Amino acid sequence: MTLTVAWTADRIAAIALGAAFLAFLYVYFFRAHRREGVAAPAAVAGTAEQEATITVSGGYDPEVVVAKKGVPLTLVFDRRESSPCSDEVVLPEFGIRQSLAPNAKTRIRVVPERSGEFPFACGMNMLHGLLRVED
Amino acid sequence: MTDPVCGMAVEPARAPAKRRHGGREFFFCAPGCAVRFDKDPAGFASGTRGREPMTSSPPSPFLRPGKTLPLFGAPASRKSAGATVPASSPPPLPRMPRRERGETLTLSLDGMHCASCVSTIEQALARVPGVREASVNLGTARASVRGENLKAATLIEAVEASGYAARADSDPSGGEDERRARTAQRSVLRRTAASAALTLPVVLLSMSGIRFAGRDVLLLALTLPVYFWAGWPFLSGMVRTLRHRTANMDTLVGLGTTAAVLLSAAGTVFPSKFAAAGAAGHVYYEAVGVIITLVLLGRWLETRARGRTSAAIRKLLDLAPKTARLIRKGVELEVPLSEVSVGDRLAVKPGDAVPVDGIVRSGSSAIDESMVTGESLPAEKRAGDRVIGGTLNQQGAVEIEATAVGSDTALAHIVRLVHEAQATKPPIQKLADRIAGVFVPVVLGIGTVAWVAWYVFGPEPRALFATVALASVLLIACPCALGLATPTAILVGTGRGADAGILFRNAQALERAKSVTAVLLDKTGTVTEGRPRLTDRVRLARSSDAELLGLAAALEKSSAHPLAGALLAAAVEKGIPLPAVSSFESRTGRGVVGTADGKRVLVGNAALLQEEGVDISEVSEDADRFAAEGKTPLLVAAEGRVLGVLVVADREKSGSAEAIRRLRTQGLRVILLTGDREATARAIAARVGIDEVFADVLPADKASKVVELQRRGDVVAMVGDGVNDAPALAQADVGIAIGAGADVAIEASDVTLVGGDLRSVPDAIALSRDTLGTIRQNLFFAFGYNVLGIPIAAGLLYPFTGWMLSPMLASAAMAASSVSVVANSLRLARRRG
């Protein structure tokens, strides 16, 4: 079948708009993603423990947690929503799949024994965060 | 800035409390520190106090000097969490007195940041009348309060007065979390019901075709609460995710419904413009209501179903009783399980669940261990036998000594192993994960392209159709089905395994087990019981049972040979008294020679007796026959004359033959691996139905046999029980440790069978095949659904068939897709396991 299209101004504008929106989507979701780390401070002054609170609300905030190697680390997931998308958090390298109670804090304690970057994600791998362990 | 009280780093802008003293500003990590500061501002400000969170605090009334307060991460065990006695303090202080049977209340705390908060709250609680003891654990953010006539409300008040938040927490094992989850579920259900109630008139009115002035305005008025209130989770989720530059289901549903609402509202507010464009009356209010109702309903069903996927683990956790009968100075006392420690004596009555792992010290009973080991027959337990916490005592009463408590018990190990396995992902999920990660942005892109295509090429009214297509694409796409496909099946599969005493170390092992082509079975302890027993006996007329077995057992008693135990056990079982032994000599590879009951006795093989000049013609035929069956005949002679033959053998386990038959039905090559001689090995193999045998294999060579099979292209499962199997278990594609019993921490294996029944091996392989099958179905469905659904929603079929999916149908399909994936995974649990 043949399409005869009158190339009116609004049609051309729609194409331009669509293209611009696609470019925006690409940049918004895949580029220029801030990935600054937030260092996990000592949980208690003078103790060899570190702790970081991650707010879970449509994503992980901060997205990147920086921790010191070999020091026990408590990640406090402060979940402020009940959307099932963030029901669970998975730290594959640590063998942890933990359900997060809605509107509550869930503490997960790990000992980062190797340095490197260890991603964590929601149970469906749509929300992403990163634990960076430094020497 | 640092907190002058506890010394912790504080960010002034975010400090929850601040004080001004002597012209300087001080910031505190928590209100509690500020309260402490107020008591001695000069001291803290000058630095003469503080910085050392613990020593600066006045000794709390319930802590003896010399104790240290809890540090973060101190084990949350016992009632005085973290309060430890320094190692130097001579004789270990008794733990908190147990005789006080006062009640214990647990509070969940909020707002604690440092160890200083711990002591503030502890002191506040200790001042409440009736409180005998209060301890706060920073790690778990919980306070445990002990005393009489405690009221949660009073305690919470006391905590709140010191600047923190608290709530009653009757079940410290996470009951609070469950309660919150239930609350969230109820709120979803409420929204669903309200949404349905408001949507029903909208649907009826829209479909009836009744037209009157202001109809659309009425529909708009009915729809707005649905959109804003019932759909709030999606709207707020959409905003939250977009702020994080991420996207999930909320984003899609939020954008989809927003598009439909805006379109309809525009048509209602500017009807003339719509009429001019040939789109008069095109409003989609009913669609918005139905979409939100359906997606909420789907979400409720999905969460409910997902809760069931971990039911098996919860069942395991519930096995351990909440209390134990502690025996202290002959008095039996019912105490909470958390107060039992290693070395305690506990009474286990008929019908009781065994509270912790232990060793039977007195009494005997049959204990049903099926919940842990998967073995259906109750195990006989008497003094010296190990019992596993969570198993069920049947008739007898026993007294046990606790050997492992809390997180050290076998049950806790099992739960931990299963939890860890459930957190892993099988390789099959990798692709689905990669897709899920970019799914929503890509769908937004497809929606954009669909909108442009409809706008440019579509029929009039173009803008309307374009927007409807966009909404449909957003609403039909369902990344959840993709994301749920594997984890739910793994949860159910590993849970069903745990139920039957089959523990997969990780999801990779679960996936690999399905492609096994050859199963190597270690003989001793795997196919056989691993414990030689007296199986047959040939007694010549001149002797008696008591004489034959008594003399042999008496002599063997001094021997360390494994066969000796079999004779001894048989004698004890039959109540045969053992005569005194006056001399004893072991002849390696032949047997033993000695004097018992004043007679010169020989126990050993034919060679031994012949050397000693004993005529064995009367029994040699029998001995040869038993040897051919793979058993060990022990010839017994006294005073130069043969008395008879005692036959000792390691018997096959009762389920071995059936297990092997089932493995062969599964299309697997089954091979027996043993250090026995070929003939012995063949005899045993024949009895259990194996034709392939690797005999004469030294323990060290077991692993190389695995390699040999792997070189020939087999995917090998190695089943073994012992330490000397570890290299072979590690070398095999799937290492299966059998009969681990209470000792489930077997590092080398991929699969641990808690019980000793060989039938668990075909069960494990069947479970792996079932689970992987379910995962494949789920992934196929989830991919197929999106790959077909999205183009149809985008209107790809329209040019050919004139079909255009309504957003309503799209959302129904979406809601159904993730529910069906979870339901399919749940089917796994119902199959024979």
Side-chain angles (χ1 to χ4, degrees):
Chain A
M1 65 189 205
T2 48
L3 272 175
T4 41
V5 173
W7 289 102
T8 51
D10 66 323
R11 287 194 165 93
I12 292 163
I15 291 175
L17 201 71
F21 191 69
L22 285 179
F24 167 75
L25 284 178
Y26 178 72
V27 172
Y28 192 77
F29 287 108
F30 301 118
R31 287 286 147 197
H33 217 114
R34 289 162 298 131
R35 288 228 130 182
E36 301 144 23
V38 170
V44 179
T47 63
E49 291 272 353
Q50 39 188 349
E51 181 176 315
T53 299
I54 298 163
T55 306
V56 183
S57 168
Y60 299 111
D61 189 15
E63 250 180 20
V64 181
V65 170
V66 181
K68 279 196 283 292
K69 190 174 97 175
V71 182
L73 165 71
T74 300
L75 295 170
V76 184
F77 285 90
D78 183 3
R79 184 163 172 231
R80 298 194 181 153
E81 61 184 356
S82 55
S83 160
C85 292
S86 56
D87 264 354
E88 292 176 316
V89 65
V90 182
L91 291 87
E93 269 82 1
F94 296 94
I96 291 170
R97 170 182 291 270
Q98 172 76 50
S99 62
L100 306 175
N103 305 312
K105 288 179 180 174
T106 306
R107 309 176 71 93
I108 297 176
R109 190 165 180 273
V110 296
V111 181
E113 273 153 1
R114 283 182 295 130
S115 54
E117 299 204 327
F118 305 101
F120 55 88
C122 69
M124 298 179 198
N125 199 31
M126 282 193 274
L127 311 175
H128 300 104
L130 187 74
L131 171 61
R132 189 181 297 140
V133 179
E134 295 175 346
D135 287 309
Chain B
M1 290 294 286
T2 45
D3 184 320
V5 176
C6 65
M8 203 172 126
V10 189
E11 205 182 304
R14 297 169 69 176
K18 60 180 181 179
R19 293 288 186 273
R20 185 169 275 281
H21 182 84
R24 282 163 65 205
E25 270 212 288
F26 296 94
F27 299 94
F28 303 92
C29 73
C33 286
V35 171
R36 298 256 304 276
F37 181 85
D38 292 341
K39 288 179 188 157
D40 183 12
F44 281 114
S46 65
T48 54
R49 289 197 61 171
R51 293 299 155 89
E52 289 160 290
M54 295 305 91
T55 50
S56 66
S57 63
S60 73
F62 50 89
L63 280 170
R64 295 182 205 92
K67 287 196 159 193
T68 58
L69 267 167
L71 292 181
F72 178 74
S77 63
R78 316 216 63 83
K79 48 202 167 308
S80 90
T84 52
V85 181
S88 60
S89 72
L93 283 169
R95 281 181 308 270
M96 290 303 168
R98 282 233 186 81
R99 46 196 150 62
E100 294 159 359
R101 298 209 50 188
E103 52 201 313
T104 303
L105 260 174
T106 314
L107 300 177
S108 262
L109 304 170
D110 234 336
M112 285 201 299
H113 297 280
C114 61
S116 165
C117 307
V118 171
S119 66
T120 309
I121 297 176
E122 283 182 340
Q123 288 172 40
L125 287 171
R127 278 195 294 269
V128 174
V131 173
R132 193 171 300 139
E133 183 194 337
S135 67
V136 170
N137 184 297
L138 185 58
T140 59
R142 288 202 161 92
S144 168
V145 188
R146 219 171 145 68
E148 278 110 32
N149 305 321
L150 298 178
K151 283 201 185 66
T154 335
L155 296 173
I156 290 169
E157 236 169 66
V159 174
E160 282 172 351
S162 58
Y164 300 88
R167 43 176 208 278
D169 182 4
S170 53
D171 176 12
S173 63
E176 174 67 11
D177 288 353
E178 257 177 44
R179 202 185 56 77
R180 276 164 188 256
R182 271 201 306 277
T183 311
Q185 272 289 75
R186 266 203 302 278
S187 127
V188 171
L189 194 59
R190 237 190 345 265
R191 278 182 209 276
T192 312
S195 178
L198 284 169
T199 302
L200 189 66
V202 176
V203 171
L204 291 177
L205 196 55
S206 303
M207 308 227 301
S208 66
I210 302 167
R211 304 211 152 253
F212 52 89
R215 185 191 84 131
D216 285 0
V217 177
L218 176 66
L219 290 177
L220 175 63
L222 283 169
T223 302
L224 282 181
V226 177
Y227 171 69
F228 279 112
W229 184 72
W232 180 246
F234 308 117
L235 294 180
S236 63
M238 172 178 83
V239 172
R240 281 195 306 263
T241 51
L242 290 178
R243 211 186 283 146
H244 281 274
R245 294 194 174 197
T246 58
N248 58 22
M249 278 306 301
D250 293 339
T251 325
L252 290 178
V253 177
L255 286 172
T257 50
T258 303
V261 165
L262 287 180
L263 181 68
S264 308
T268 306
V269 179
F270 309 109
S272 54
K273 288 211 171 140
F274 266 56
H282 271 281
V283 289
Y284 291 88
Y285 293 118
E286 82 283 9
V288 172
V290 171
I291 288 162
I292 290 174
T293 310
L294 283 179
V295 178
L296 281 171
L297 183 69
R299 182 165 282 197
W300 183 73
L301 286 173
E302 178 198 316
T303 312
R304 246 171 69 98
R306 262 200 299 161
R308 294 221 312 272
T309 58
S310 48
I313 283 298
R314 260 203 308 281
K315 217 168 81 192
L316 273 178
L317 280 172
D318 286 342
L319 283 178
K322 300 271 175 283
T323 59
R325 302 176 201 269
L326 182 74
I327 301 170
R328 172 70 34 110
K329 288 179 187 145
V331 182
E332 205 180 288
L333 195 67
E334 195 160 337
V335 298
L337 203 57
S338 59
E339 299 193 6
V340 176
S341 51
V342 172
D344 280 348
R345 291 295 184 106
L346 306 167
V348 184
K349 296 270 162 73
D352 276 1
V354 176
V356 297
D357 292 357
I359 292 177
V360 177
R361 285 300 175 210
S362 65
S364 71
S365 180
I367 292 183
D368 177 5
E369 297 190 328
S370 61
M371 55 293 279
V372 178
T373 64
E375 265 171 62
S376 47
L377 285 179
E380 283 298 330
K381 302 280 178 182
R382 56 185 77 154
D385 284 342
R386 305 185 70 92
V387 292
I388 308 173
T391 55
L392 196 68
N393 183 24
Q394 295 195 318
Q395 322 98 11
V398 289
E399 190 179 318
I400 65 166
E401 181 183 326
T403 53
V405 299
S407 57
D408 296 328
T409 61
L411 200 60
H413 272 296
I414 290 174
V415 170
R416 207 154 45 229
L417 255 169
V418 178
H419 261 311
E420 279 174 21
Q422 290 180 339
T424 61
K425 284 179 177 172
I428 196 172
Q429 175 69 8
K430 289 243 163 70
L431 181 63
D433 264 358
R434 272 222 295 284
I435 293 175
V438 299
F439 189 90
V440 178
V442 168
V443 168
L444 292 176
I446 294 174
T448 310
V449 171
W451 186 85
V452 171
W454 276 93
Y455 191 88
V456 173
F457 303 111
E460 295 293 344
R462 291 173 290 142
L464 178 90
F465 281 131
T467 310
V468 171
L470 169 67
S472 297
V473 168
L474 298 184
L475 290 168
I476 202 166
C478 184
C480 286
L482 272 180
L484 291 169
T486 312
T488 52
I490 295 283
L491 274 172
V492 177
T494 49
R496 192 182 103 185
D499 229 20
I502 301 167
L503 309 177
F504 286 91
R505 175 162 299 274
N506 51 38
Q508 289 90 312
L510 185 65
E511 179 167 353
R512 257 199 324 269
K514 69 145 204 316
S515 31
V516 162
T517 57
V519 181
L520 261 181
L521 300 172
D522 182 47
K523 192 205 83 178
T524 311
T526 302
V527 176
T528 66
E529 286 172 345
R531 242 189 346 237
R533 287 178 198 234
L534 183 68
T535 55
D536 305 271
R537 155 175 57 132
V538 179
R539 174 171 57 81
L540 297 179
R542 67 176 84 97
S543 160
S544 70
D545 253 355
E547 189 186 15
L548 177 67
L549 194 52
L551 288 175
L555 212 59
E556 290 280 6
K557 196 176 174 183
S558 317
S559 153
H561 199 276
L563 297 180
L567 297 188
L568 214 55
V572 169
E573 201 173 299
K574 292 187 167 35
I576 294 170
L578 301 186
V581 177
S582 48
S583 77
F584 168 82
E585 185 196 338
S586 173
R587 306 237 175 121
T588 309
R590 288 194 163 42
V592 291
V593 180
T595 314
D597 201 15
K599 298 173 191 151
R600 184 172 160 76
V601 179
L602 309 171
V603 183
N605 57 15
L608 175 78
L609 273 70
Q610 280 165 332
E611 262 173 30
E612 295 283 329
V614 179
D615 175 19
I616 58 163
S617 59
E618 286 172 284
V619 294
S620 61
E621 222 170 85
D622 288 316
D624 289 348
R625 178 165 55 84
F626 288 121
E629 284 175 21
K631 299 175 176 177
T632 311
L634 293 170
L635 281 62
V636 183
E639 298 292 304
R641 294 177 67 188
V642 172
L643 299 180
V645 183
L646 294 172
V647 184
V648 173
D650 185 6
R651 283 196 305 205
E652 307 86 56
K653 292 179 186 168
S654 57
S656 291
E658 188 197 328
I660 287 153
R661 201 167 51 244
R662 280 177 47 201
L663 284 170
R664 296 171 70 126
T665 326
Q666 287 173 331
L668 303 174
R669 195 174 153 193
V670 183
I671 305 161
L672 186 73
L673 183 68
T674 174
D676 291 350
R677 282 171 301 125
E678 180 89 24
T680 314
R682 288 260 167 230
I684 289 162
R687 275 207 295 281
V688 291
I690 303 180
D691 348 293
E692 268 184 280
V693 171
F694 289 162
D696 289 312
V697 182
L698 295 172
D701 293 337
K702 285 181 181 174
S704 59
K705 287 290 173 192
V706 175
V707 175
E708 205 179 301
L709 282 174
Q710 286 169 330
R711 285 233 179 87
R712 278 190 252 153
D714 272 319
V715 179
V716 182
M718 164 79 201
V719 189
D721 75 320
V723 179
N724 67 26
D725 296 330
L729 290 174
Q731 173 62 43
D733 297 286
V734 181
I736 303 178
I738 193 168
D743 185 24
V744 293
I746 293 197
E747 290 300 323
S749 64
D750 300 302
V751 183
T752 302
L753 306 177
V754 183
D757 195 323
L758 198 60
R759 281 174 289 198
S760 296
V761 176
D763 285 346
I765 286 169
L767 179 59
S768 160
R769 290 179 177 178
D770 281 0
T771 308
L772 264 294
T774 301
I775 292 176
R776 281 220 199 81
Q777 289 159 13
N778 284 351
L779 286 176
F780 180 80
F781 176 78
F783 276 118
Y785 166 81
N786 282 299
V787 165
L788 291 177
I790 294 175
I792 292 174
L796 210 63
L797 291 181
Y798 184 81
F800 312 106
T801 61
W803 285 358
M804 197 177 169
L805 204 61
S806 88
M808 209 154 40
L809 266 178
S811 70
M814 197 279 284
S817 73
S818 55
V819 174
S820 34
V821 162
V822 179
N824 191 38
S825 293
L826 279 172
R827 267 184 342 121
L828 253 182
R830 284 199 291 272
R831 283 183 218 161
R832 188 189 53 80

